[in-house]
Amino acid sequence: MAAAWEFQLPLAPADLLRDSGPGHYVVQEVLPARELPPALTAFRAAFRARGALAVLQHFDSLYSLLHHFRAVGTAVKEDALELMMQVVSHHSNELPGILGDSGLSRADRLAHLNALKMNCYLLTGLVDAFEMETCKSSLLEADLGGKNKKNRTKTPGSLWEEEREPLLRLLTQLLQLDLRQLWGGLVVEEEFVSLMTGSCYRILENPSIGLQKYRATRDAVTHLLAAALTHYDHMFSATLKITQMLQHFEHVAPVFAQAVSLWATEYGLKTLVGELLREIGQKCPQDLARDASGIKGYATFITEVAEQIPALVLSNMSVLLHHLDGESYMMRNAILAAMAEALVQVLNGDQLEEAARGTRDQFLNMLQAHVCDINGFVRSRVLQLFTRIVQRKVLPLTQFQSVVSLAVGRLKDKSVVVVKNAIQLLAAFLSNNPFSCKLSCADLAEPLKKEVKKLQEMRDRGRSTAVPAITPEEEWEAMLPEVRAATQQLFQPLQEGEEEVLEVEETVESTSEQITGLLRKLNYKSAARLTQKALCRFQGKEPFNGPAEENEEATILGVMKRLYTGSCPGENSEDPPRGNGCLQAEEVVPEEQPQTELVKQEMLVQYLQDAYNFSVQITEALSLISKMMYENCVSVVQEAIEFFVTVSQFGVPQALLGVRRMLPLIWSKEPGIKEAVLNAYRRLYLSPSGDSERARAQGLVNSLSLIMVDASLGTIQCLEEIISEFVQKDEIKPAVIQLLWERFTEKSQCSSLERRAAVMLLGMMARGKPEIVGSNLDVLVTVGLSEKVCEDYRLAQEVCNAISKLAGNPKPALGRNNAPFRLPQNHVLFGCLSETVSKGFGQPSGHWIPFMEAVVTLIYQLAEGAEEICAHILQTCSQQALEKLQEDDEQKADPGVSPSRDSDGTSSLPTFLLTHLVSLVGQVALQQVAYLEVSVSAELRRRRILREEEKSKKRSDSSTKKQRPRSTGNETTIEEELGLVGASADDTEAELIRSICETELLDDKHLFSAFVPLVLKICNNPGLYSDPALSAAAALALGKVCMVSSEFCDSHLRLLFTMMEKSALPGVRSNLIIAAGDLAIRFPNLVEPWTSHLYARLRDPCPSVRQTAGLVMTHLILKDMVKVKGQVSEMATLLIDPEEAIMGVAQNFFSELSNKGNAIYNVLPDIISHLSDPTCGVEEESFRTIMRHLFPYITKDKQTESLVEKLCQRFRSARTERQYRDLSHCLVLLPLSERGLHKLQDNFDCFADKLQDPAVYSCFQTVLARFRRAAGKPETKALAEELERKVSASHNRGLDSAETCQEGSGTPKPEPAKQKPTASARRQPLSTANRDDDFVTPQPRTLRNQKRAQKRPPPKKAIIVFSSDEENSSEDELSAELTEEETPTKTTPITRSSARRLR
């Protein structure tokens, strides 16, 4: 009965419910869910009785379970799965015996075939159902997140996951049987194979299958599919299915890559790789570009397969190459990665065949071409691939230079990721370079030059000594004209006396030798005659039986040629054959030797040339990468730091510049950058090579000392921060500190520079641990401040700096009331300091002033009664000056003895004494103010807090004794009053300090009053005191004294700014700029009217003054001490300064300013307004350079829209064609959005009439072209096209009207831009600060405001202008002068020495 029908595998489960023809199985009844448990029990009983064939009667029960799977309980589902696994397992074990039975009837075979189909259909149906349920539950868990993970119970899905792997192994076991016999020895039907493999693909669709915990499941799926591919011709179906899944499921790419690799290597299915790659290669690149997920799957698959089986991918690479020209960057990345894998794993080594070598070179050329790909991700990926190729040392030397050049070029890439990978590639080149461990250009140039010279000598020697290798044939060709002429003479009649007797020899050999000898002796006529006779004598014999020639002359010539060129064995009798042959053999051996040496020398020269070129390219990269250390991208900065560490390890001398340049990054706010700097210095300096602790300490100290040679103050401060960090973390060994002390005390031999560096390093370490210096203070004093101080003031200065680390932080932290560290006034330290300063005062030395400043600073930091010590020093030094004057008076009688006598006969001091004196006065004055404002103020506050704490403690004790149960309102009032007193106490103390500075320090009773007139006299009489050092010292002293009192500062500001403007000495101007910056912070209201004069120094002709002014203005503006007005355009002009350092100051200023909210957006209109004005003196190209630097800081859409509107409105007030061009160029630089385009449309009338200018029209065309190219909204494109039509129409209309104007009377044209000023004119100071009458004390702010209110005209119709225009329209603000009655009656005369005296 069972054999009367056949079970057809359905395409859909519902097909089994319909009658599809006679003899096909149809499900009779779908049982309700509640009847399924007893039906399963019945099937289990039948299975025990009949085995796997029981399904023929109970198929409907299991089909019903699949039909109601969602409604059935978990227990029933799991029972059904377990039962079906038992059935299929039982059947699988039975089938080998059944298949091997030759007497199997057709009915039994059909029964087993139906049972197999049914069982497999039911089991795979359960697999699909469970898998769908698992996917849904995993998605639900992903939505819920990780909440209540511990309380979550095991789901049916998790139980299914445990059974999945055994089930797949069971199906694999089944497929490994020879099932074709069940089909009558024919091919197994494709539906059955698809049924078995479909479950595998369904399992792989689960996104979590890629997790590590499912590795066994993935392996089981792989082996099951391998069985289908091997035994059941599943290749075509698998190719299509895998390709489809790669397109729709991103997560399966790594799984299939691993599976395909396994099938190709273990199962020999190598053709599948080619089929899959061919299928992917046939995809249309345009279609792929629209399918991002599909591309990602294909790309990942290609990349991973290439990593695992590169040889097979290489053999099928041609089908993928056309995707390199497609739009998808992911496909390009994948194919290029596959090429790289082939290069690394297959196409490497020196033993490659010619074809493989050609393929390798082709792949490398393709990779190099895509270093300049249009897409940044591709450029970045190619650089990564080259990094791997270089690290695996498979890049041929012939390609080395070209790839390095490409990497250096990518350092200028606009993509941050590309730059980062370019740096990594260059670092890999360095680490794996085949040239040398030391890559200094200077070190390589010398041996290269030497070896090139040696090679040239070898070539010259070879040319001079070697006999030219001329063949006999070449000799005969050279002889032929003369031989022919001699032969022709044979046929002419003989002249008298010409008869020559020549007898032919007996034998052919002797005759041949005789003819050859005559030819060698250049006796051509005799040779020809003898040949003629021999032809008659030996006719028919060799070599006189040659081919018959046209005439006798040709025959003779032919015989002689054969004899001479060696066609015959006969040779000249004078040169025996054996001897000549031996000579040639002996010459061959010595010639081979020099030839080999020459080849070796050429290879050596080529090697050195390649090494030198590589070093040059690395050096070029250094300058580019060093500029990247201050990029905004943290990862690029970290890569740049890492690169310099690598370069330093290869001994490139320029690396030290980069190592120094990274020092300021220690102050970075980014923790990653700061840590990268610390790690760099840790690797470079804290891990020196050496056998012993002492040797390592020696190496570390030497390396750190090298950094400090010619280091700036900023560099030393940064290094101090790094070393103090190392000391605090105990990373510097005690042996290092011990060695430094030995160098300082000269127990260890070292130079004076190394000794000074040792003291500096000790001071840096003392900042981390002050006890390093504190425990050896007596050593520092006795050794560093001994009688030999005068020999090396710089060492003594560093000793003072090291001792100053004992003072610690001058501002104590809140909540700490510890007394500051101070030494008694009679400490030996201060005695030594006073003595050394006083002793050196009377001796000329360029290093005494810095030493004196360090001494005064140290005294005020550490001494009790510091003002008394410094007063004593001042008195001692001034006494020395007076004594010098007295000596001068005594020598008045003898004018020839006194070189310091003035022209009027009055006495004078040596210039250096006056310089020392005013420097000392200025330093003491400044430190006195700092001492009062910081130390005394902090001490007063500390003592007040202590008193308040004691009072509150006493009050609390007394209240405890009285045991008051509650506090009264009276007590609360007292506490409030105490709080008020505490709050106002700070003001009281500050007022006390201020009154001391204002009324006491500079009055007639104080010591300073004796020296201030001297300072003022020197400053007021630059002609009389013309020494540059004295003028600079006096100017600085004036600035320091002005810091003391606001009244003194106010009365001498005019003198200070006059000197700043008029002094011919750059040192004076620089000093006064610094002083003015300090005064602007201390007395901002006094200095504010003079701000324009500070800005004026930004155009100073001296670069050092401009740099100083740029730094001072940067600090003042960023600290909000100076208002950022239209004059900030002067800072912008520094962006085009010829000095790179000044340009760096300006770039840093705008970079920092951009971090202050909308600061750059607020000042940009003013900058544009000023710099586009032709009278400003900034050329058009320079203006564009400045704008290109500033506009990238405009990043917000609202700022962009607002600027578009302002720039459009500005066209109305622009006066010259140059301004039109500048404004339109600014619009090009803005990243316009859709709203910005609307702003252009709304303000079209503002610039429509300016579009006749070709440059303006071109800029608007560029702006609108961006919107055309961008794939934006259709309405945006339509708006852009409409605006473009209007722009073109206005441009054409403007050209037509311009022609009309030229023909007619002519309407007024816009004023053309004025002639560009010369470079010298551009560098002149601002016009507002050039005139003497400008140096009148500006009005107070209140008075100016009143005047401005009086002069304010009635309101007019509002027009949009820049804020800078409003500021500049007020003349009284630029030239702020006092009224006549307020002008000081006593003015300070500014005298100038004559040109002769200045010289």
Side-chain angles (χ1 to χ4, degrees):
M1 184 73 183
W5 47 266
E6 182 183 356
F7 183 78
Q8 290 284 345
L9 291 168
L11 295 175
D15 292 348
L16 288 173
L17 298 175
R18 293 188 291 270
D19 189 359
S20 57
H24 291 171
Y25 182 82
V26 179
V27 173
Q28 301 299 321
E29 180 186 6
V30 178
L31 301 177
R34 64 178 179 275
E35 296 181 12
L36 290 177
L40 278 179
T41 305
F43 179 42
R44 190 184 297 275
F47 166 62
R48 287 175 184 153
R50 294 191 55 200
L53 296 179
V55 74
L56 298 175
Q57 283 76 32
H58 294 271
F59 177 83
D60 292 5
S61 304
L62 272 299
Y63 179 87
S64 303
L65 186 140
L66 290 175
H67 188 79
H68 297 296
F69 192 81
R70 294 183 182 179
V72 176
T74 303
V76 178
K77 297 176 188 176
E78 292 176 355
D79 285 346
L81 178 65
E82 183 182 356
L83 178 59
M84 286 311 304
M85 285 181 68
Q86 290 176 3
V87 171
V88 173
S89 177
H90 180 75
H91 203 187
S92 176
N93 293 331
E94 279 185 343
L95 277 175
I98 296 168
L99 295 173
D101 186 3
S102 57
L104 184 69
S105 65
R106 184 176 181 280
D108 291 342
R109 180 182 63 77
L110 188 59
H112 280 286
L113 177 60
N114 286 335
L116 178 66
K117 289 182 181 180
M118 285 179 164
N119 288 328
C120 290
Y121 175 79
L122 292 172
L123 185 58
T124 55
L126 286 171
V127 168
D128 293 349
F130 271 110
E131 200 59 42
M132 289 181 66
E133 196 174 65
T134 305
C135 286
K136 287 181 182 178
S137 63
S138 63
L139 290 174
L140 186 62
E141 286 179 15
D143 291 339
L144 293 173
K147 297 177 182 178
N148 301 323
K149 190 176 284 186
K150 292 182 180 178
N151 300 330
R152 200 176 293 154
T153 56
K154 274 198 171 186
T155 61
S158 61
L159 295 171
W160 154 244
E161 288 171 1
E162 296 175 3
E163 297 293 333
R164 192 160 49 186
E165 185 196 342
L167 188 149
L168 290 168
R169 283 204 302 268
L170 173 62
L171 294 179
T172 305
Q173 178 186 344
L174 184 64
L175 284 180
Q176 286 173 344
L177 302 174
D178 188 10
L179 298 177
R180 287 177 297 174
Q181 296 182 31
L182 289 179
W183 274 267
L186 301 175
V187 177
V188 176
E189 62 182 285
E190 188 177 343
E191 288 80 3
F192 179 77
V193 179
S194 299
L195 177 74
M196 303 292 278
T197 57
S199 300
C200 297
Y201 297 128
R202 175 59 60 84
I203 289 172
L204 292 178
E205 288 175 9
N206 189 338
S208 62
I209 194 67
L211 299 177
Q212 180 64 25
K213 64 179 180 179
Y214 298 130
R215 182 177 179 180
T217 304
R218 292 196 302 272
D219 292 345
V221 168
T222 303
H223 289 296
L224 196 156
L225 289 174
L229 287 163
T230 307
H231 303 296
Y232 300 98
D233 197 20
H234 185 56
M235 182 83 70
F236 180 72
S237 301
T239 303
L240 294 179
K241 185 64 179 177
I242 292 172
T243 308
Q244 290 173 0
M245 290 186 70
L246 286 173
Q247 187 172 0
H248 295 101
F249 303 99
E250 291 181 13
H251 68 275
V252 300
V255 179
F256 275 131
Q258 190 174 3
V260 168
S261 172
L262 183 75
W263 296 336
T265 52
E266 293 191 12
Y267 291 93
L269 298 168
K270 296 180 180 180
T271 54
L272 179 64
V273 180
E275 292 296 327
L276 285 170
L277 293 179
R278 191 171 293 107
E279 194 69 27
I280 294 172
Q282 289 172 355
K283 299 288 182 183
C284 177
Q286 286 74 23
D287 294 341
L288 283 178
R290 292 189 289 270
D291 183 13
S293 62
I295 289 176
K296 193 170 182 181
Y298 292 147
T300 307
F301 176 76
I302 292 171
T303 305
E304 301 230 359
V305 167
E307 288 178 5
Q308 297 174 34
I309 43 174
L312 292 177
V313 175
L314 174 61
S315 60
N316 295 279
M317 185 68 76
S318 58
V319 300
L320 298 172
L321 290 180
H322 71 281
H323 281 294
L324 285 176
D325 300 323
E327 295 181 18
S328 169
Y329 76 88
M330 283 189 282
M331 281 298 285
R332 295 204 295 278
N333 275 348
I335 296 167
L336 293 168
M339 288 181 181
E341 287 301 327
L343 289 168
V344 168
Q345 300 187 46
V346 183
L347 300 173
N348 56 14
D350 298 329
Q351 310 301 323
L352 288 178
E353 297 178 358
E354 195 63 35
R357 191 176 287 109
T359 304
R360 179 197 68 187
D361 294 342
Q362 185 183 2
F363 283 3
L364 284 169
N365 291 336
M366 288 182 181
L367 284 168
Q368 290 184 46
H370 283 278
V371 170
C372 301
D373 194 280
I374 193 172
N375 189 284
F377 291 110
V378 179
R379 299 195 298 274
S380 171
R381 181 64 176 147
V382 174
L383 291 171
Q384 289 176 354
L385 296 173
F386 268 121
T387 302
R388 182 158 187 265
I389 290 170
V390 172
Q391 287 172 342
R392 295 289 294 270
K393 295 182 172 61
V394 294
L395 183 67
L397 281 176
T398 53
Q399 304 270 358
F400 228 73
Q401 303 297 334
S402 58
V403 179
V404 173
S405 298
L406 286 170
V408 173
R410 286 303 97 202
L411 292 175
K412 302 173 186 175
D413 201 289
K414 62 182 179 181
S415 169
V416 170
V417 186
V418 176
V419 174
K420 176 182 172 183
N421 284 292
I423 297 174
Q424 289 179 345
L425 175 55
L426 287 169
F429 268 118
L430 268 173
S431 301
N432 300 278
N433 84 83
F435 303 117
S436 171
C437 61
K438 296 295 179 185
L439 289 169
S440 166
C441 288
D443 293 344
L444 289 169
E446 191 61 34
L448 174 62
K449 185 178 178 182
K450 180 181 175 183
E451 297 300 332
V452 167
K453 184 178 179 182
K454 183 178 177 182
L455 175 63
Q456 192 63 40
E457 289 174 354
M458 289 176 70
R459 285 175 174 168
D460 293 342
R461 190 165 58 248
R463 279 195 291 269
S464 61
T465 57
V467 178
I470 301 174
T471 62
E473 287 78 9
E474 291 173 340
E475 289 183 8
W476 174 258
E477 291 298 325
M479 294 159 50
L480 186 59
E482 295 181 29
V483 175
R484 180 177 284 115
T487 307
Q488 289 172 354
Q489 290 180 8
L490 295 178
F491 305 101
Q492 295 175 2
L494 291 174
Q495 298 177 4
E496 293 183 24
E498 201 179 359
E499 183 68 26
E500 182 176 353
V501 180
L502 275 173
E503 295 297 329
V504 179
E505 298 292 336
E506 294 294 325
T507 62
V508 172
E509 289 79 13
S510 58
T511 304
S512 299
E513 290 174 6
Q514 188 180 3
I515 294 171
T516 306
L518 290 170
L519 287 172
R520 289 184 186 280
K521 294 175 182 178
L522 308 182
N523 195 345
Y524 304 136
K525 190 173 180 181
S526 300
R529 184 164 288 143
L530 188 60
T531 304
Q532 187 182 30
K533 291 182 178 181
L535 282 170
C536 298
R537 172 83 179 270
F538 306 110
Q539 192 171 8
K541 293 184 179 179
E542 189 69 36
F544 303 100
N545 62 346
E549 301 293 338
E550 297 176 353
N551 52 37
E552 190 177 357
E553 178 187 347
T555 305
I556 294 170
L557 288 174
V559 171
M560 285 194 292
K561 180 179 179 181
R562 287 198 299 275
L563 290 172
Y564 188 81
T565 56
S567 300
C568 285
E571 289 291 336
N572 187 11
S573 57
E574 296 178 7
D575 299 306
R578 181 175 295 181
N580 193 25
C582 292
L583 181 63
Q584 287 181 355
E586 287 171 5
E587 286 176 357
V588 167
V589 178
E591 281 180 7
E592 284 182 356
Q593 187 79 8
Q595 197 66 26
T596 308
E597 293 296 326
L598 187 65
V599 170
K600 286 182 179 179
Q601 186 66 21
E602 286 174 344
M603 292 174 65
L604 175 60
V605 169
Q606 186 62 48
Y607 170 81
L608 289 172
Q609 186 66 56
D610 289 345
Y612 179 76
N613 293 341
F614 179 67
S615 178
V616 168
Q617 288 176 325
I618 291 297
T619 305
E620 180 189 350
L622 285 176
S623 61
L624 293 171
I625 296 175
S626 65
K627 296 174 185 174
M628 296 174 191
M629 286 191 184
Y630 296 91
E631 292 284 338
N632 293 328
C633 180
V634 176
S635 60
V636 169
V637 176
Q638 290 173 326
E639 288 298 333
I641 292 171
E642 180 66 26
F643 177 77
F644 272 102
V645 173
T646 306
V647 172
S648 300
Q649 292 169 344
F650 281 88
V652 180
Q654 290 82 357
L656 186 61
L657 299 175
V659 172
R660 281 188 181 179
R661 190 176 173 84
M662 75 172 74
L663 273 170
L665 293 173
I666 192 65
W667 311 107
S668 174
K669 296 175 184 176
E670 288 288 343
I673 294 178
K674 183 175 180 179
E675 191 58 35
V677 175
L678 286 172
N679 283 334
Y681 274 82
R682 191 175 285 119
R683 286 170 56 189
L684 287 172
Y685 297 108
L686 292 192
S687 305
S689 58
D691 300 331
S692 62
E693 192 78 20
R694 176 82 177 181
R696 287 192 287 273
Q698 195 94 22
L700 190 151
V701 170
N702 289 337
S703 301
L704 290 177
S705 301
L706 190 63
I707 295 185
M708 291 189 290
V709 174
D710 299 330
S712 65
L713 181 60
T715 300
I716 290 172
Q717 288 176 340
C718 298
L719 191 61
E720 181 176 328
E721 178 71 14
I722 291 174
I723 290 178
S724 64
E725 288 267 354
F726 290 156
V727 170
Q728 289 170 7
K729 296 175 182 177
D730 291 325
E731 294 186 50
I732 292 183
K733 307 294 182 187
V736 176
I737 300 172
Q738 178 66 29
L739 179 62
L740 291 173
W741 281 115
E742 289 178 10
R743 285 193 171 189
F744 169 62
T745 55
E746 295 184 295
K747 291 181 181 177
S748 177
Q749 290 295 325
C750 63
S751 65
S752 59
L753 282 174
E754 290 173 333
R755 190 180 180 205
R756 194 184 314 142
V759 180
M760 293 170 72
L761 288 170
L762 285 170
M764 293 173 183
M765 294 175 186
R767 187 177 158 205
K769 287 185 178 179
E771 59 268 21
I772 292 175
V773 167
S775 59
N776 291 283
L777 181 59
D778 54 340
V779 177
L780 282 170
V781 173
T782 54
V783 177
L785 301 174
S786 63
E787 296 177 355
K788 296 182 180 179
V789 167
C790 299
E791 298 174 9
D792 191 354
Y793 281 118
R794 297 174 74 180
L795 177 66
Q797 179 187 347
E798 296 305 334
V799 169
C800 293
N801 291 335
I803 297 174
S804 68
K805 300 299 188 293
L806 292 174
N809 187 7
K811 294 182 180 179
L814 293 175
R816 292 186 181 178
N817 291 320
N818 299 328
F821 177 77
R822 292 267 170 185
L823 294 173
Q825 189 173 338
N826 59 356
H827 194 277
V828 65
L829 169 65
F830 306 120
C832 286
L833 292 175
S834 301
E835 184 180 347
T836 50
V837 170
S838 303
K839 187 176 179 181
F841 176 80
Q843 300 171 1
S845 172
H847 301 298
W848 181 86
I849 292 178
F851 166 65
M852 174 272 298
E853 291 174 347
V855 167
V856 173
T857 305
L858 179 60
I859 290 171
Y860 274 102
Q861 283 179 337
L862 284 182
E864 296 281 1
E867 62 276 7
E868 295 179 14
I869 300 173
C870 288
H872 173 69
I873 294 174
L874 261 176
Q875 288 172 345
T876 307
C877 293
S878 56
Q879 186 65 36
Q880 290 185 42
L882 287 173
E883 290 173 359
K884 188 69 178 174
L885 270 178
Q886 290 172 2
E887 290 177 11
D888 187 81
D889 289 338
E890 292 173 1
Q891 295 172 353
K892 243 182 181 182
D894 187 3
V897 178
S898 176
S900 58
R901 191 178 303 281
D902 287 343
S903 58
D904 58 357
T906 58
S907 303
S908 66
L909 281 173
T911 304
F912 79 88
L913 269 182
L914 266 182
T915 306
H916 286 185
L917 187 59
V918 295
S919 299
L920 180 60
V921 170
Q923 182 66 9
V924 172
L926 180 65
Q927 291 303 320
Q928 182 68 37
V929 173
Y931 174 68
L932 289 170
E933 293 281 354
V934 179
S935 300
V936 174
S937 178
E939 182 63 13
L940 288 172
R941 183 174 180 277
R942 186 185 72 82
R943 292 181 181 182
R944 172 173 52 79
I945 291 173
L946 284 175
R947 286 196 301 271
E948 289 176 1
E949 287 177 353
E950 288 177 4
K951 286 181 181 178
S952 61
K953 186 177 180 182
K954 288 179 181 177
R955 190 176 294 110
S956 62
D957 290 344
S958 61
S959 62
T960 306
K961 288 178 182 177
K962 293 179 181 179
Q963 295 181 350
R964 292 182 181 177
R966 64 186 177 190
S967 60
T968 62
N970 199 20
E971 288 174 352
T972 307
T973 306
I974 291 171
E975 287 175 4
E976 288 174 356
E977 287 175 0
L978 281 173
L980 288 173
V981 169
S984 63
D986 286 337
D987 295 335
T988 306
E989 291 162 2
E991 183 60 29
L992 172 64
I993 301 293
R994 193 193 68 79
S995 65
I996 292 173
C997 293
E998 292 289 340
T999 60
E1000 295 184 18
L1001 291 185
L1002 294 178
D1003 67 356
D1004 295 339
K1005 299 176 183 178
H1006 201 277
L1007 190 61
F1008 288 135
S1009 62
F1011 300 101
V1012 170
L1014 175 63
V1015 174
L1016 292 175
K1017 183 178 181 182
I1018 296 171
C1019 292
N1020 277 314
N1021 297 279
L1024 185 60
Y1025 302 96
S1026 58
D1027 184 76
L1030 177 60
S1031 300
L1036 194 57
L1038 175 63
K1040 290 177 177 179
V1041 175
C1042 284
M1043 293 285 288
V1044 176
S1045 161
S1046 61
E1047 184 180 348
F1048 182 85
C1049 175
D1050 194 21
S1051 60
H1052 293 90
L1053 268 181
R1054 182 174 182 274
L1055 170 62
L1056 190 143
F1057 278 98
T1058 302
M1059 293 174 65
M1060 184 194 301
E1061 185 71 28
K1062 299 293 185 181
S1063 175
L1065 302 172
V1068 172
R1069 300 201 298 274
S1070 292
N1071 281 352
L1072 289 174
I1073 289 167
I1074 296 170
D1078 290 340
L1079 290 172
I1081 294 174
R1082 182 155 172 78
F1083 306 121
N1085 292 335
L1086 295 179
V1087 180
E1088 191 270 338
W1090 299 90
T1091 304
S1092 61
H1093 298 278
L1094 281 173
Y1095 276 112
R1097 292 301 92 223
L1098 294 171
R1099 291 206 176 193
D1100 195 280
C1102 178
S1104 63
V1105 179
R1106 288 201 305 277
Q1107 184 173 355
T1108 304
L1111 289 169
V1112 170
M1113 294 310 298
T1114 296
H1115 285 292
L1116 292 179
I1117 292 172
L1118 294 180
K1119 289 180 179 178
D1120 298 320
M1121 302 310 299
V1122 169
K1123 289 186 178 179
V1124 185
K1125 298 182 181 178
Q1127 291 164 322
V1128 77
S1129 61
E1130 298 303 321
M1131 287 295 290
T1133 57
L1134 297 186
L1135 290 168
I1136 55 170
D1137 197 280
E1139 298 291 328
E1140 190 174 347
I1142 300 175
M1143 203 187 307
V1145 169
Q1147 289 172 352
N1148 184 56
F1149 165 74
F1150 284 106
S1151 176
E1152 292 295 325
L1153 190 64
S1154 66
N1155 297 326
K1156 294 172 72 69
N1158 298 328
I1160 289 190
Y1161 163 74
N1162 293 334
V1163 301
L1164 192 56
D1166 292 339
I1167 294 174
I1168 296 171
S1169 177
H1170 282 75
L1171 298 186
S1172 63
D1173 190 343
T1175 60
C1176 177
V1178 175
E1179 296 178 4
E1180 190 168 352
E1181 190 55 42
S1182 299
F1183 173 85
R1184 295 186 174 192
T1185 303
I1186 294 171
M1187 293 303 120
R1188 278 197 296 272
H1189 186 89
L1190 295 180
F1191 269 88
Y1193 294 116
I1194 306 299
T1195 54
K1196 298 177 182 176
D1197 288 343
K1198 288 186 177 179
Q1199 293 178 352
T1200 304
E1201 295 162 26
S1202 177
L1203 273 177
V1204 169
E1205 187 169 14
K1206 286 184 177 182
L1207 290 169
C1208 291
Q1209 294 288 344
R1210 182 64 179 167
F1211 274 102
R1212 292 186 184 276
S1213 56
R1215 302 188 304 278
T1216 66
E1217 294 176 359
R1218 155 77 190 275
Q1219 289 174 313
Y1220 304 158
R1221 294 195 296 271
D1222 287 347
L1223 291 169
S1224 57
H1225 180 73
C1226 291
L1227 283 171
V1228 173
L1229 296 175
L1230 277 172
L1232 283 187
S1233 61
E1234 186 180 349
R1235 291 184 180 180
L1237 192 62
H1238 281 287
K1239 291 288 183 185
L1240 276 181
Q1241 175 87 332
D1242 297 342
N1243 293 277
F1244 181 78
D1245 293 339
C1246 297
F1247 56 83
D1249 57 331
K1250 314 298 188 299
L1251 290 169
Q1252 63 180 347
D1253 188 307
V1256 176
Y1257 174 67
S1258 174
C1259 288
F1260 278 94
Q1261 286 287 91
T1262 304
V1263 171
L1264 295 172
R1266 289 183 198 158
F1267 287 96
R1268 266 204 325 272
R1269 292 194 301 267
K1273 300 177 183 176
E1275 53 268 26
T1276 306
K1277 285 190 174 181
L1279 178 63
E1281 289 170 0
E1282 179 191 349
L1283 189 55
E1284 194 169 7
R1285 285 194 296 270
K1286 290 173 68 176
V1287 166
S1288 298
S1290 296
H1291 173 64
N1292 297 329
R1293 187 167 59 248
L1295 292 178
D1296 296 341
S1297 63
E1299 291 172 2
T1300 307
C1301 289
Q1302 288 174 3
E1303 293 171 3
S1305 58
T1307 54
K1309 286 188 175 182
E1311 178 191 344
K1314 294 185 179 179
Q1315 187 177 0
K1316 295 175 183 176
T1318 60
S1320 59
R1322 287 199 305 274
R1323 279 294 161 205
Q1324 291 303 314
L1326 290 178
S1327 58
T1328 58
N1330 274 343
R1331 301 186 304 273
D1332 286 342
D1333 55 3
D1334 284 333
F1335 286 93
V1336 180
T1337 305
Q1339 303 169 8
R1341 196 178 300 177
T1342 54
L1343 184 60
R1344 284 187 286 131
N1345 291 340
Q1346 290 172 8
K1347 287 191 174 186
R1348 194 177 299 131
Q1350 292 171 5
K1351 293 182 181 180
R1352 188 175 296 138
K1356 297 180 181 179
K1357 185 178 179 181
I1359 58 171
I1360 297 177
V1361 294
F1362 288 162
S1363 58
S1364 57
D1365 301 329
E1366 295 170 0
E1367 291 165 4
N1368 290 344
S1369 63
S1370 177
E1371 293 181 2
D1372 58 329
E1373 185 173 348
L1374 282 178
S1375 55
E1377 297 183 1
L1378 293 175
T1379 58
E1380 187 173 354
E1381 61 271 21
E1382 290 174 328
T1383 305
T1385 56
K1386 185 179 179 182
T1387 58
T1388 307
I1390 302 295
T1391 58
R1392 274 282 174 265
S1393 59
S1394 66
R1396 185 177 302 166
R1397 290 189 65 180
L1398 278 175
R1399 284 196 293 270

